[in-house]
Amino acid sequence: MKKNKVADVFVFLLVIPYLCTLTLIGIGFNALVIHPASLWRTAVGAFVGALIMFGIKGTIQRPLDLISDNVENSFFLQTLRFFSVRRRRLYQLANILLDFILCGLATYLVRQVLTFDQIAGTAVGWVMLIMFISTAIGAYLEYDNLSIDPTQK
């Protein structure tokens, strides 16, 4: 796979959906919690969000493995490996800690950027649309490698 194609698949299939998921966690937290600006409540929301992110990362292991088989660039390979939850406990804990920090930051930024009417209104739909389009583009770019159909190889 060419270097620029790997970068495109990485951005559309992993980075954009990852950022959209963080945004969805921030929107959901701020829409459901009455006083979301409390540091304690934000920490609890970030912890729950980090667990959700860890669970979501379990579903993308096969595409990660298939993409990483075609990666020669060590930076991309290490970044793909960081998204993997099949690593040593230390890396898993670092992954959860990073997600905890990013979920806390996402809840704070959503609260600062969007009004409550936007949070409780159409923000989820727009983020889901962006995530769907991004995932569709990423899957289209690398359908042959990501397909589970054995006749496609």
Side-chain angles (χ1 to χ4, degrees):
M1 186 181 335
K2 293 182 181 177
K3 190 176 192 178
N4 61 348
K5 193 172 185 181
V6 170
D8 291 344
V9 170
F10 176 73
V11 167
F12 285 112
L13 206 55
L14 293 172
V15 174
I16 293 173
Y18 184 78
L19 294 174
C20 287
T21 303
L22 287 171
T23 306
L24 287 172
I25 289 169
I27 290 169
F29 173 78
N30 286 300
L32 294 174
V33 176
I34 295 173
H35 301 288
S38 161
L39 185 60
W40 167 250
R41 289 181 180 173
T42 300
V44 170
F47 178 72
V48 172
L51 294 178
I52 291 169
M53 292 297 285
F54 190 75
I56 289 172
K57 287 178 183 176
T59 64
I60 63 167
Q61 288 308 295
R62 175 125 171 97
L64 278 177
D65 294 342
L66 292 172
I67 292 171
S68 63
D69 289 344
N70 295 310
V71 173
E72 296 172 8
N73 184 323
S74 65
F75 172 74
F76 280 133
L77 187 60
Q78 292 304 319
T79 306
L80 287 169
R81 285 184 179 167
F82 184 77
F83 278 95
S84 177
V85 294
R86 293 184 199 163
R87 303 220 37 210
R88 288 184 273 163
R89 293 278 183 225
L90 179 64
Y91 290 121
Q92 288 177 345
L93 290 174
N95 205 322
I96 290 173
L97 181 63
L98 177 66
D99 285 338
F100 173 78
I101 293 167
L102 292 175
C103 286
L105 185 64
T107 60
Y108 175 77
L109 289 175
V110 165
R111 188 168 48 245
Q112 297 302 314
V113 173
L114 300 176
T115 66
F116 182 75
D117 289 340
Q118 291 170 324
I119 291 171
T122 61
V124 169
W126 286 109
V127 173
M128 291 296 289
L129 178 65
I130 293 167
M131 186 185 292
F132 174 76
I133 291 171
S134 173
T135 306
I137 291 170
Y140 173 77
L141 289 173
E142 202 48 37
Y143 178 77
D144 291 337
N145 284 336
L146 298 176
S147 175
I148 59 173
D149 184 8
T151 61
Q152 294 292 325
K153 300 286 180 191

